């Protein structure tokens, strides 16, 4: 998606440790106009899928998922990273290791919001080692729902998550795939 | 907002400890059609304000803020609940006590995303004791931005947050204010 790649080149900042900061438009401040264009692009790429729910994980995926959901006219469900007293009843649970925060989270989703009748599109802002997405895939499997695919805004193609998930036979659409990055250059996959 | 009140009566569930669960449409599963109506209502109520940014706090406020922001045509900025290695540079910081999780969070916002030139609308899903909203108000004060007001989806009017914030002279618009609730009844403020 050229508009997104242009924006990454313009406003993305590479930090030591292979960190790409896009916090001015994607995951701290959010450019809602751009994210609407992202929503249209995902709708175009998954137009043939009978999506009934969009599933994401808190926190930074939620806003993107909500904007994207408008183009599919379906609800969003977001998995939560810790037990809350407001979440009762039966839960799907999985574990997710966070690359950013260097710890393992329990991730939960109320069973009543995802079941065998659902056709699910996963949405998240970043894909690097794939831990968050693998956690969501595990939840979809446990629910018996049909996983139609995953839409990622930015994939770090030099980390293993994307390959691992494609090798599982899952349809993965990343709007910008970065194959290499240094302090002075970013290379996108064609 | 009658549509919202009707939905709370239809799908809200009261749990012991004055907990109102609206997780089927607002903060676990999200009904994007309803939240668009919420966005239109906030735009109508704050139509006279020259809003430049919408500020919320992760996690459940983010999706609502993103949908609402479309009606104001402004970016969303969300305050984060813990230090992340991806957040560097200068930060506004404050502390927020969570009623739900029974602990105190450090809340941070990158200074570059809020400054004296901004006119801010705060958006959140719930207002009870007001801790999250007071944290956001503190951040706006530190930034030098103009606080135009706060838009809350559901206010628990029997807790003290709403009165405290209105007594500070802040314009607070809650789309549904619950004055009392028991296992068998909910009473809204007129």
């Amino acid at each position: 998606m050229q508009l997104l790649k242009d924006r990454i080149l313009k406003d993305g900042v590479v930090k030591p440790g292979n960190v790409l900061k896009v916090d001015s438009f994607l995951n701290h401040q959010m450019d809602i106009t751009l994210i609407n264009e992202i929503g249209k692009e995902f709708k175009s790429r998954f137009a043939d899928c009978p999506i009934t729910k969009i599933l994401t994980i808190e926190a930074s995926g939620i806003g993107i998922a909500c904007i994207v959901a408008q183009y599919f006219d379906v609800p969003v469900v977001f998995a939560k990273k810790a037990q809350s007293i407001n979440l009762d009843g039966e839960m799907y649970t999985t574990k997710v290791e966070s690359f950013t925060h260097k710890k393992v989270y329990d991730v939960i989703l109320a069973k009543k919001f995802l079941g065998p009748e659902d056709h699910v599109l996963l949405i998240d802002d970043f894909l690097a080692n794939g831990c968050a997405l693998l956690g969501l895939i595990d939840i979809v499997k446990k629910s018996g729902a049909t996983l139609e695919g995953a839409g990622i805004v930015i994939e770090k193609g030099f980390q293993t998550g994307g390959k691992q998930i494609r090798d599982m036979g899952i349809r993965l659409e990343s709007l910008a795939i970065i194959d290499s990055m240094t302090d002075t250059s970013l290379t996108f996959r064609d």
Side-chain angles (χ1 to χ4, degrees), chain A:
Chain A
M1 184 184 176
Q2 197 56 47
L3 183 72
L4 174 65
K5 291 178 185 173
D6 292 344
R7 188 62 175 273
I8 294 168
L9 290 173
K10 177 169 168 278
D11 291 331
V13 179
V14 178
K15 295 280 177 180
N18 276 331
V19 172
L20 173 65
K21 283 172 61 94
V22 288
D23 61 352
S24 66
F25 60 95
L26 195 64
N27 53 19
H28 189 17
Q29 181 166 254
M30 303 182 70
D31 179 337
I32 304 300
T33 304
L34 173 69
I35 297 168
N36 267 287
E37 294 303 317
I38 286 169
K40 290 177 200 170
E41 181 70 21
F42 282 133
K43 175 61 187 176
S44 164
R45 295 192 186 200
F46 290 100
D48 56 320
C49 301
I51 309 294
T52 63
K53 291 230 171 129
I54 287 182
L55 175 64
T56 188
I57 184 166
E58 65 180 21
S60 50
I62 299 174
I64 299 165
C66 285
I67 298 291
V68 172
Q70 298 177 124
Y71 296 94
F72 291 88
D73 198 18
V74 299
V76 168
V77 186
F78 63 89
K80 303 199 174 196
K81 278 180 180 162
Q83 189 64 47
S84 155
I85 60 163
N86 279 2
L87 281 169
D88 64 0
E90 287 198 66
M91 298 283 165
Y92 304 117
T93 64
T94 191
K95 287 187 186 296
V96 169
E97 188 176 353
S98 168
F99 172 76
T100 311
H101 296 93
K102 315 267 186 225
K103 60 179 175 181
V104 176
Y105 295 98
D106 287 305
V107 169
I108 55 179
L109 187 82
K111 288 187 178 176
K112 60 185 170 183
F113 298 135
L114 204 63
E117 69 284 6
D118 281 312
H119 290 251
V120 180
L121 175 62
L122 306 177
I123 292 286
D124 210 357
D125 55 344
F126 264 97
L127 171 62
N129 57 27
C131 289
L133 203 52
L134 289 166
L136 293 178
I137 290 166
D138 185 49
I139 285 174
V140 174
K141 274 189 189 156
K142 285 172 174 164
S143 76
T146 304
L147 179 58
E148 294 287 345
I152 297 293
V153 182
I154 301 175
E155 177 183 339
K156 289 176 170 173
F158 53 88
Q159 290 186 246
T160 58
K163 179 174 189 314
Q164 185 179 354
I165 285 160
R166 289 186 182 93
D167 285 350
M168 293 165 71
I170 291 168
R171 179 170 174 183
L172 171 61
E173 296 277 354
S174 298
L175 303 189
I177 303 178
I178 297 169
D179 270 340
S180 68
M181 61 186 198
T182 68
D183 290 357
T184 53
S185 75
L186 272 180
T187 307
F188 293 108
R189 193 173 300 176
D190 280 334

